[in-house]
Amino acid sequence: MIGIVVFPGSNCEFDVESAFRELGEVSKFVSHRERELGDYKAIIIPGGFSYGDYLRSGAIARFSPIMDAVSRYADNGGKVVGICNGFQVLTEAGLLPGALQRNAGLKFVCGEVKVRVGTTRSALTNLMAEGEEFSLPINHFEGNYTADRATLEDLEEHHQVVLRYVQNPNGSANDIAGITNREGNVVGLMPHPERAGLGFGLPGYARRMLGSVVAIDSVSAVKSAH
Ligand SMILES: NC(=O)CC[C@H](N)C(=O)O
């Protein structure tokens, strides 16, 4: 069972549910009001406009009751993947380093963008090949990843860049489209793998990407697989 956290303003929860259903995985929606998480294979924080993106995207959602449970779940090695607004929530919550600021040029970007797998040592890429390239949908206003120089160096040194844009659509530092924490169990990315194929069936790379989330049981397995 996959847990999908839903905030007021989330709007990609059904896309995530249907993508995992295509992989044979059942999901349950988890309200932002909950204080405990049950036994899930993984927790997904989906895209959308939680709390209307007021203040900063993800800045209010991170104070929801459920987020303490998500932090504990991650601390215990549970797999947590934040997609788009979910990535923003994870950085605001301090589960991932850095921040997502407004796109360069202050433009909302919507379309497909080519990305490259940076590391396979993560809950989202363990079935992928390093250097593999494919296109994924993007749809955001605040996807411009930023961090101080030491954090960026640290991310590169420890191979925590999960996905990089081949052509940077938003001004992200180091062309970063997605990162993982040091342990590999918490991942955030701006593109939407669950929307790949636009409802006509997930392409193979998207199946392997979302399949990675359920392919292994624990963080130690992420580590030992590589
Ligand atoms: N698709 C999304 O999740 C969008 C995230 C956020 N509302 C933004 O525009 O940056």
Side-chain angles (χ1 to χ4, degrees):
M1 177 92 70
I2 307 285
I4 304 173
V5 176
V6 181
F7 302 102
S10 296
N11 67 11
C12 300
E13 64 271 36
F14 292 103
D15 296 336
V16 172
E17 188 274 334
S18 108
F20 277 105
R21 183 152 31 89
E22 234 182 284
L23 300 180
E25 295 291 335
V26 176
S27 301
K28 188 176 166 212
F29 295 122
V30 180
S31 163
H32 61 104
R33 290 201 186 93
E34 302 285 330
R35 294 186 183 274
E36 299 292 335
L37 279 171
D39 190 16
Y40 294 103
K41 284 187 184 172
I43 295 297
I44 311 291
I45 308 190
F49 293 75
S50 57
Y51 296 92
D53 281 353
Y54 279 99
L55 191 58
R56 267 191 324 270
S57 300
I60 300 177
R62 76 77 128 207
F63 291 106
S64 299
I66 194 63
M67 287 310 296
D68 282 340
V70 171
S71 293
R72 287 196 303 275
Y73 181 87
D75 285 348
N76 290 331
K79 289 171 280 179
V80 178
V81 176
I83 302 170
C84 203
N85 191 224
F87 185 12
Q88 295 162 337
V89 174
L90 291 177
T91 56
E92 291 289 340
L95 283 170
L96 288 172
L100 291 140
Q101 56 184 359
R102 290 172 180 176
N103 296 341
L106 298 180
K107 286 251 180 350
F108 190 96
V109 292
C110 184
E112 290 236 329
V113 68
K114 200 181 245 192
V115 290
R116 183 184 310 121
V117 174
T119 177
T120 55
R121 241 206 67 206
S122 87
L124 192 70
T125 49
N126 56 80
L127 297 180
M128 322 275 313
E130 200 174 310
E132 188 176 349
E133 291 184 3
F134 45 87
S135 292
L136 288 177
I138 51 166
N139 180 276
H140 59 253
F141 183 56
E142 295 185 39
N144 181 356
Y145 183 81
T146 187
D148 58 38
R149 186 183 298 195
T151 302
L152 287 172
E153 283 174 7
D154 207 56
L155 286 172
E156 298 291 352
E157 189 187 333
H158 295 98
H159 306 286
Q160 288 171 249
V161 180
V162 167
L163 276 187
R164 240 184 262 273
Y165 299 114
V166 174
Q167 273 178 334
N168 192 332
N170 54 24
S172 278
N174 295 14
D175 300 322
I176 286 173
I179 56 170
T180 179
N181 62 349
R182 194 78 70 84
E183 292 76 20
N185 64 315
V186 180
V187 179
L189 75 166
M190 286 313 292
H192 289 267
E194 82 285 8
R195 285 189 184 168
L198 304 172
F200 292 97
L202 291 172
Y205 51 84
R207 293 184 74 91
R208 282 184 289 116
M209 188 169 246
L210 297 174
S212 294
V213 180
V214 287
I216 44 167
D217 283 343
S218 67
V219 184
S220 48
V222 176
K223 281 186 177 160
S224 60
H226 298 284

